[in-house]
Amino acid sequence: MNTPNHSPVGILAVQGDFELHAKMLERIGAPWTLVKHASDLEDVGGLIMPGGESTTMLKFFAQEGIGPAIAEFAEQGKPVFGTCAGAILLAKEVLKPPQESLGLLDVGIERNAYGRQIDSSVRRGDCPELADYPVQMVFIRAPIIRRVGDGVRVLGRSDGLPVLVEQGNILAATFHPELTEDETIHRYFLKKVSH
Ligand code: GLN
């Protein structure tokens, strides 16, 4: 669909833990750049939307026109990877409470769904197409994907729940792959970017 591209991967840097994604890409040796304004998207081949607070990020989206620019970017077939809050922003449906989102990924996702008492946890999950061992996954005030649309592939599960999903050029994780040493998930996304 896209011509092979060597443009850097953009990391949305309006709020959240974008720096750790940059560190991960640095370690892998993949070029990256921070995306702070809608116009920054013109120069990137893919986009990572980090974890943080989806409500705060939405405020920036409204102010800066970043939301519509990301939607347009994704509609052109360019790869977008949302982690945690990023996944919430990509979802078609945000539950409990309902919240605005970009609607680019056909899932229903519930925010802070592991309960207030579990602020964060480290679990293991299976991503059979990506790794032949249980992948370490860090969840921080994580959402749970409650509904998976027909066109969405589940690439990873933990405790029976979908935690890594893909719909065409859109990839989303409810955990934080940038918080472990394991490069698998980022490498998988980078393959999508270079195709
Ligand atoms: N609880 C946050 C939200 O609802 C997501 C947490 C995270 O990104 N680690 O946006």
Side-chain angles (χ1 to χ4, degrees):
M1 193 185 322
N2 295 321
T3 45
N5 78 70
H6 305 284
S7 315
V9 173
I11 306 170
L12 185 67
V14 294
Q15 191 267 339
D17 78 334
F18 51 88
E19 279 171 5
L20 289 173
H21 283 281
K23 268 197 186 156
M24 176 62 92
L25 296 184
E26 195 66 38
R27 237 179 50 196
I28 296 175
W32 59 272
T33 186
L34 297 181
V35 168
K36 297 191 182 210
H37 306 283
S39 60
D40 297 336
L41 285 170
E42 288 162 21
D43 308 317
V44 302
L47 179 70
I48 294 178
M49 296 170 64
E53 273 308 322
S54 52
T55 39
T56 311
M57 291 189 208
L58 273 175
K59 285 182 194 148
F60 281 98
F61 282 14
Q63 285 165 15
E64 299 259 349
I66 292 178
I70 293 174
E72 197 182 312
F73 183 84
E75 274 149 23
Q76 288 165 5
K78 293 182 186 151
V80 179
F81 177 25
T83 60
C84 205
I88 294 168
L89 292 168
L90 287 171
K92 196 162 254 181
E93 205 185 342
V94 182
L95 315 162
K96 294 192 182 173
Q99 177 173 288
E100 229 184 288
S101 56
L102 298 175
L104 299 169
L105 172 69
D106 188 13
V107 298
I109 198 165
E110 182 183 332
R111 295 179 62 208
N112 303 310
Y114 289 92
R116 274 163 201 252
Q117 69 279 20
I118 308 175
D119 201 43
S120 66
S121 62
V122 182
R123 296 157 196 253
R124 296 210 172 250
D126 291 313
C127 306
E129 291 177 46
L130 277 60
D132 58 6
Y133 55 88
V135 176
Q136 196 180 27
M137 298 174 174
V138 180
F139 294 86
I140 302 174
R141 286 173 293 108
I144 291 181
I145 295 170
R146 297 291 189 195
R147 181 187 66 78
V148 176
D150 287 341
V152 178
R153 292 205 311 138
V154 176
L155 295 177
R157 285 184 191 274
S158 179
D159 297 324
L161 296 167
V163 294
L164 179 67
V165 296
E166 177 180 69
Q167 184 177 20
N169 54 320
I170 309 291
L171 181 69
T174 58
F175 58 98
H176 285 260
E178 76 287 5
L179 284 179
T180 65
E181 301 283 295
D182 194 327
E183 297 163 4
T184 307
I185 315 287
H186 283 81
R187 285 193 183 276
Y188 182 75
F189 179 63
L190 289 170
K191 265 199 265 171
K192 292 170 81 69
V193 177
S194 59
H195 274 159

